[in-house]
């Protein structure tokens, strides 16, 4: 196993735009990742298992609900701090970031934004400390890009709701204690419902056979006449805009996270190019390899600027969903291209688990698909600039 030598890359001196608190939080996350995760991540990916013993550590660096107010157990940080934590986690592995971003943006966020005060007090502190892990059920076997077509539904039975249906591709599902599930009522209106492990008729089978995001657990959510107490309905919002607003927050985190994956691939390829000798020269001395590295750092720098600006706008409440789509789409695609080129630069060694690049490459196939595919985000931008809705 190689030591994690990552140092970060800041070509346009972006650190000068961060506060001391931002840098402290980022550096703490980086050090924790190097010490606790880098030594075991390859094995976790090989075993296709999320290393659950990392949960308290993730909580300790503020990765669960960084921007949730402290009164609910969150860290009360701003959006840029949230992004920096996601960047450091995904620098190591997209699955690690997935676990944290689902917990923060897809479970804690809707409970904080749309939950009752009782729900906030019951769930948020336990989710922030990692005592409970949550998952987010939107996608169904027949409704992925088009979640509005969902068929999971609940009926009002007087003293409780009766929930039926199935969700698929759900991160954290196999071990989560809590699921925020989106389902239609008898009028066809979408609501969020909190379902807890142990409720009769609720099961979470693991999905097997993934060649991507292997260090994250993915499963189904099956609801077979599940009796859900009425107080578990999120009262603050109905309609598809509820889950989509959570996706805005998670997609923003992914935009930062993808920069982390790209930075790691660049970092490894740069170091390799300075050490690997062929034709009596380091391969970094050849123009073709320099072209790859120069283009990588250019694209990373552009993404860093785009995303920091997005973070400022989110702090001010001025970032639109379309702006977030643009950053998610651009940055994941950028990271995927960099991973592919970095892998080539390592020659045969690039396909082994001795280096993280192949794992990043495979992970990014999930990241470019979930939280809205590459093409869906393009259509969101297209709709925003033309005014024509290609989905209707
Ligand atoms: P449409 O008619 O456009 O919109 C319905 C209502 O929602 C509002 N809205 C939004 N609100 C907040 N944030 C957004 N981003 C919003 N986008 C739309 C909209 O204004 C409308 O409100 P109202 O009041 O008029 O009802 O909806 P549509 O059915 O045409 O679909 C639009 C589309 C395709 C963009 C949307 O469905 C979409 O984004 N699809 C992609 C699905 C997706 O991203 N799924 C992700 C599942 S979760 C996941 O992948 C987690 S991975 C986690 C990990 O491991 O990291
Ligand atoms: P489809 O929607 O069937 O799309 C197939 C192809 O058709 C794509 O290329 C798509 O871009 C294209 N397409 C679809 N509609 C259009 C259109 N109108 N115009 C042009 N092209 C179109 N979901 C959750 O709810 N919670 C989770 O925690 C979660 N975690 C996930 C973890 C992993 C590892 C993965 C892979 C997925 C996860 N998902 C989760 C699901 C994810 O959000 C969906 O896979 C994604 O939204 C795409 O849906 P789909 O797979 O059904 O593809």
């Amino acid at each position: 196993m190689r030591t994690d030598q990552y140092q970060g890359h800041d070509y346009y001196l972006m650190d000068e735009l961060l506060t001391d608190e931002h840098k402290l939080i980022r550096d703490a996350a980086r050090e924790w990742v190097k010490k606790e995760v880098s030594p075991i991540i390859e094995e976790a990916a090989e075993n296709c298992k999320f290393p659950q013993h990392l949960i308290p550590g993730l909580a300790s660096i503020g990765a669960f609900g960084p921007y949730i107010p402290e009164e609910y157990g969150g860290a009360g940080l701003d959006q840029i701090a949230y992004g920096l934590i996601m960047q450091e986690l995904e620098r190591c592995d997209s699955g690690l970031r997935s676990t944290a971003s689902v917990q923060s943006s897809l479970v804690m966020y809707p409970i904080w934004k749309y939950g009752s005060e009782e729900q906030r007090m019951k769930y948020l502190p336990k989710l922030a400390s990692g005592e409970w892990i949550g998952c987010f059920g939107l996608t169904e076997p027949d409704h992925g890009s088009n979640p509005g077509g969902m068929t999971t539904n609940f009926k009002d039975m007087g003293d409780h709701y009766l929930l039926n249906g199935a969700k698929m591709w759900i991160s954290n599902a196999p071990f989560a204690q809590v699921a925020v599930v989106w389902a239609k009522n008898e009028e066809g209106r979408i609501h969020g419902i909190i379902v807890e492990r142990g409720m009769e008729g609720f099961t979470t089978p693991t999905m097997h056979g993934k060649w991507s995001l292997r260090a994250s657990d993915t499963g189904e959510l099956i609801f077979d006449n599940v009796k859900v107490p009425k107080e578990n309905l999120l009262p603050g919002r109905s309609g598809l805009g509820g889950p989509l607003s959570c996706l805005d927050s998670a997609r923003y985190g992914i935009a930062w996270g993808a920069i982390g994956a790209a930075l790691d691939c660049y970092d490894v390829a740069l170091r390799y190019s300075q050490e690997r000798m062929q034709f009596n020269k380091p391969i970094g001395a050849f123009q073709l390899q320099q072209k790859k590295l120069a283009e990588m750092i250019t694209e990373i720098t552009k993404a860093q600027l785009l995303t920091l600006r997005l973070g400022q706008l989110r702090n001010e409440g001025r970032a639109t969903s379309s702006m977030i789509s643009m950053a998610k789409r651009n940055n994941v695609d950028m990271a995927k291209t960099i991973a592919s080129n970095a892998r080539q630069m390592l020659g045969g060694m690039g396909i082994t688990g001795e280096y993280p690049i192949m794992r990043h490459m495979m992970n990014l196939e999930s990241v470019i698909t979930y939280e809205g595919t590459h093409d869906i985000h393009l259509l969101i931008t297209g709709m925003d600039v033309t005014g024509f809705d290609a989905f209707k």
Side-chain angles (χ1 to χ4, degrees):
M1 187 195 56
R2 301 173 63 84
T3 345
D4 184 347
Q5 295 175 281
Y6 178 74
Q7 293 299 337
H9 298 275
D10 184 18
Y11 205 75
Y12 260 42
L13 314 182
M14 303 255 304
D15 266 17
E16 291 175 13
L17 304 177
L18 302 178
T19 64
D20 288 344
E21 188 184 49
H22 289 147
K23 286 181 266 189
L24 270 174
I25 288 159
R26 179 197 59 197
D27 294 349
R30 185 174 298 171
E31 286 316 306
W32 176 78
V33 162
K34 279 186 168 191
K35 187 162 174 274
E36 304 293 339
V37 197
S38 299
I40 56 125
I41 193 64
E42 199 62 45
E43 194 186 339
E46 271 176 26
N47 294 339
C48 213
K49 196 92 203 98
F50 173 70
Q52 290 185 34
H53 73 273
L54 297 176
I55 289 170
L58 279 164
S60 75
I61 59 162
F64 295 152
Y67 53 81
I68 300 289
E70 287 169 288
E71 60 188 297
Y72 300 118
L77 299 169
D78 73 355
Q79 290 291 317
I80 293 170
Y82 166 48
L84 288 165
I85 296 172
M86 296 303 118
Q87 175 186 280
E88 293 307 315
L89 297 180
E90 195 149 2
R91 202 279 301 171
C92 182
D93 191 88
S94 302
L96 183 68
R97 194 267 309 135
S98 252
T99 298
S101 57
V102 167
Q103 180 89 339
S104 300
S105 288
L106 298 182
V107 180
M108 297 177 73
Y109 179 86
I111 294 174
W112 172 47
K113 277 282 171 189
Y114 310 129
S116 64
E117 195 52 26
E118 292 72 31
Q119 290 169 340
R120 290 187 193 121
M121 294 312 291
K122 176 175 176 188
Y123 295 104
L124 292 178
K126 285 194 166 71
L127 291 162
S129 69
E131 186 180 337
W132 284 352
I133 290 292
C135 66
F136 176 88
L138 182 64
T139 305
E140 299 186 350
D142 294 330
H143 301 96
S145 298
N146 175 27
M150 70 174 69
T151 57
T152 299
N153 64 88
F154 62 96
K155 288 197 173 72
D156 188 336
M157 306 301 283
D159 61 342
H160 64 271
Y161 296 119
L162 201 62
L163 180 65
N164 277 292
K167 301 286 177 180
M168 189 177 177
W169 290 116
I170 308 304
S171 301
N172 301 351
F175 65 98
Q177 282 84 4
V178 175
V180 171
V181 176
W182 300 92
K184 285 181 177 166
N185 67 10
E186 283 145 290
E187 287 77 50
R189 189 87 184 146
I190 295 172
H191 286 267
I193 299 187
I194 305 171
V195 181
E196 294 183 26
R197 185 171 294 286
M199 288 180 175
E200 209 179 320
F202 174 44
T203 49
T204 60
T206 301
M207 293 177 65
H208 296 286
K210 287 184 301 168
W211 286 94
S212 169
L213 216 77
R214 289 171 62 88
S216 159
D217 291 354
T218 314
E220 297 170 63
L221 304 176
I222 313 280
F223 314 104
D224 179 9
N225 285 321
V226 182
K227 280 185 181 177
V228 184
K230 285 200 148 173
E231 64 263 25
N232 284 28
L233 189 90
L234 296 178
R237 181 133 186 202
S238 68
L240 188 58
L244 291 181
S245 69
C246 307
L247 294 181
D248 277 357
S249 178
R251 291 166 176 174
Y252 165 75
I254 291 175
W256 280 95
I259 297 174
L263 279 165
D264 201 41
C265 294
Y266 169 73
D267 186 73
V268 170
L270 176 63
R271 199 169 294 116
Y272 194 84
S273 78
Q274 291 160 340
E275 291 166 1
R276 174 71 175 166
M277 302 291 289
Q278 287 295 292
F279 300 96
N280 302 316
K281 277 189 192 176
I283 59 166
F286 296 116
Q287 289 180 0
L288 285 174
Q289 306 311 319
Q290 289 186 6
K291 175 175 187 290
K292 290 193 186 78
L293 291 165
E295 286 177 351
M296 285 181 202
I297 193 63
T298 305
E299 291 307 315
I300 287 171
T301 304
K302 282 154 68 179
Q304 285 172 323
L305 287 163
L306 175 81
T307 314
L308 181 64
R309 176 63 184 146
L310 184 65
Q312 290 169 343
L313 291 170
R314 265 186 83 75
N315 278 342
E316 295 165 10
R318 293 197 293 145
T320 63
S321 300
S322 318
M323 288 175 183
I324 296 168
S325 281
M326 181 185 283
K328 191 268 183 185
R329 180 176 186 273
N330 178 78
N331 294 7
V332 179
D333 194 49
M334 173 276 301
K336 226 167 91 60
T337 305
I338 287 179
S340 170
N341 285 329
R343 201 221 58 70
Q344 288 193 54
M345 287 190 66
L346 267 69
M349 288 311 292
I351 70 154
T352 70
E354 177 118 356
Y355 293 90
I357 297 177
M358 192 78 190
R359 180 164 45 77
H360 282 305
M361 254 180 88
M362 295 192 299
N363 283 343
L364 289 163
E365 290 296 328
S366 287
V367 184
I368 205 159
T369 296
Y370 64 34
E371 302 266 8
T373 67
H374 192 63
D375 286 343
I376 292 295
H377 287 296
L378 176 116
L379 293 174
I380 291 172
T381 305
M383 173 163 59
D384 195 46
V385 297
T386 65
F388 300 122
D389 184 342
F391 301 110
K392 301 283 188 276

